Amino acid sequence: MASDTSTVVELYIYDLTHGVASLLAPTIIDFKSREECSAPDGRDVEGIWHTAIVAYDREFFYGANGITSCTPGTTQLGPPHRVQRLGETFVPFAVFVEYLQGLAGSTYLPSQYNLLEHNCNHFSDEVAEFLCDARVPKDILQQPEELLAPQQRDVLHALLADLLPRSGDAPQSLYSSGARAARQDSPDYLTLNSQIEQARIQSQELEQRRSTLAEKLARKERKKQKKRKKQIRERGEADGEEIDSDMAEAVEVPLAHEELSRAGPSSEALELEADERRQEEQRKREREPPIVFRDIDPIAEFEKLADALEGVEMSAEERQSLDELQQYLVQGEGSWVLGDDFLEFMGGLLGAEREAVRAAAGGCLAAAALRDDVALLLHQDRRQHALLQHAHRIDALSLPDQRAIATFLCNLFEHVSSSEWLLYISEWEAGGQQLSNIRVTTKVCVHAVLSEDAALRAVGTALMHNISTKEVFDEVCVELAMALLQVLSCAPAEEDLYRACGALARLAARCADVPPLVALVGPHPAAFRGTSPRVDEQIDLIVKYIK
């Protein structure tokens, strides 16, 4: 499963004065002993802080050139002043890239950078909360307001602004170490400095291309190794010497690649890896496409919700959220139009007293699930879990509500990132219970496939099909297989039978505990032969694993 491994999230904290001491000493460093530059509790100003988030073996930060990434600790600021572990994240890298692209195109544009009011520390704080619900220490975020008087902030901003790149400068110029006594540079100096900077950038780009090429070659070599190993197994023990030779040859390239990439993957390499992963998922989708319900008109669903809310007293914040939903569903705006309180608003609609409101809200969610940017919306729910807490109560909901929430979950398999969100294993507590996204998803699926309502059961078998195409843990496979055997015992219609047998075949192939469970519990799938040719094909696959 894509979410079964976590990534450590760290905060790299740098002191900008370490790199520009000769410039700032007369104005800032000497103030450390003055009463007016001390914090209210008597603490002195230790430094001017720059922070970055380190995750996925990369360092991410915000500056005058926008959002940038590099190998951890390789900026010209040198090693960080200190490193603070923030926690772990299960957010897939592909989702994180989409999230950063959203920030880079909205609230963290290069033109919006302000050294003291909208800077790297605010970026780090927002990203840390997204990845692992952590925050940047308040003393770093609030330093300009709490530790420096207004006139000192103005002086500091003016001094540090000279170190920021002007229009057309390279991003790395923000981190130039050392300072010059003269404020006005000669044309010759500027020309030479520009040439040096350009040469350095070209060198970095060349090194990144080399790293990317080496990684591509190593991946190709690993594929060849897998093929060699398969051939070796087929030849058997008779060619023992040749096996040793081949295995020795197989480890050469990975070791060489390891030496090349010790400094960490390049930005291009990470993007390439994410692209290849998405391409592999796309190939899997083409072989086993998800079953989703596309006959949902987002405009019609929103109109149903607006009609259901007619006459309902709403606060200004709730009306704002309703307007955001209209922009998102009806006008086709991106998820950036949805505020921080939007999912709390949707959770309130799902729990409303009027069934028409609940059903319409569920329909809007089912329509939104088909959007390619829905994953960014879902990650807003990482603290309150409003959507999945509602889904966990499926057995207590009305039948229309059950159909709506099951359809919502089913449609989330339209895109890789949103389907991975459903399969997260990180736990959260609700009503004294330890829950996780995968547990809630499994409960909804089992409840739906075992329903006596034909429409809900059809959604349940579609959801079962979608989950079975993903990598899930053995205990989940067993629970789903038990539910499928109960479906078979009820002699379902051909469509449900086909989906159930197909899901059971995939689970049997993935989990060694499923085939003996099928043989022990029954009914034996062979009892359904002759229903249709496609059902027979799936039965043959199941029987192959049972024998």
Side-chain angles (χ1 to χ4, degrees), residues 364-381:
C364 288
L365 285 175
L370 298 173
R371 293 277 300 263
D372 57 5
D373 62 348
V374 70
L376 298 180
L377 165 64
L378 298 174
H379 280 284
Q380 293 180 11
D381 204 28

Side-chain angles (χ1 to χ4, degrees), residues 16 19-20 50-51 61-66 68 75-77 113-115 119-120 159-166 169-178 197 200:
L16 287 177
V20 293
H50 161 82
T51 60
F61 55 94
Y62 173 57
N65 291 279
T68 308
T75 69
Q76 293 187 16
L77 287 174
Y113 180 78
N114 183 287
L115 183 64
N119 58 28
C120 55
L159 289 171
L160 291 183
D162 287 342
L163 300 177
L164 297 176
R166 296 177 176 82
D169 287 352
Q172 291 81 0
S173 61
L174 175 62
Y175 303 103
S176 297
S177 59
E197 185 67 24
R200 183 177 60 79

Side-chain angles (χ1 to χ4, degrees), residues 105-173:
S106 55
T107 53
Y108 288 94
L109 293 166
S111 59
Q112 295 173 325
Y113 180 78
N114 183 287
L115 183 64
L116 299 181
E117 298 174 0
H118 187 64
N119 58 28
C120 55
N121 301 324
H122 301 97
F123 170 77
S124 297
D125 185 61
E126 187 165 342
V127 174
E129 186 178 14
F130 174 81
L131 288 176
C132 58
D133 290 333
R135 304 299 296 267
V136 169
K138 287 185 177 180
D139 63 310
I140 293 178
L141 282 175
Q142 301 174 359
Q143 185 184 57
E145 292 79 12
E146 293 188 354
L147 301 187
L148 298 175
Q151 65 272 22
Q152 294 161 356
R153 292 202 297 270
D154 294 340
V155 172
L156 177 62
H157 188 284
L159 289 171
L160 291 183
D162 287 342
L163 300 177
L164 297 176
R166 296 177 176 82
S167 178
D169 287 352
Q172 291 81 0
S173 61

Side-chain angles (χ1 to χ4, degrees), residues 1 39 111 117 123 159 204 213 278 306 346 373-374 409 431 482 531:
M1 183 176 65
S111 59
E117 298 174 0
F123 170 77
L159 289 171
Q204 289 181 341
L213 179 59
R278 284 192 289 267
M346 291 302 297
D373 62 348
V374 70
L409 266 60
M482 284 293 296
T531 303

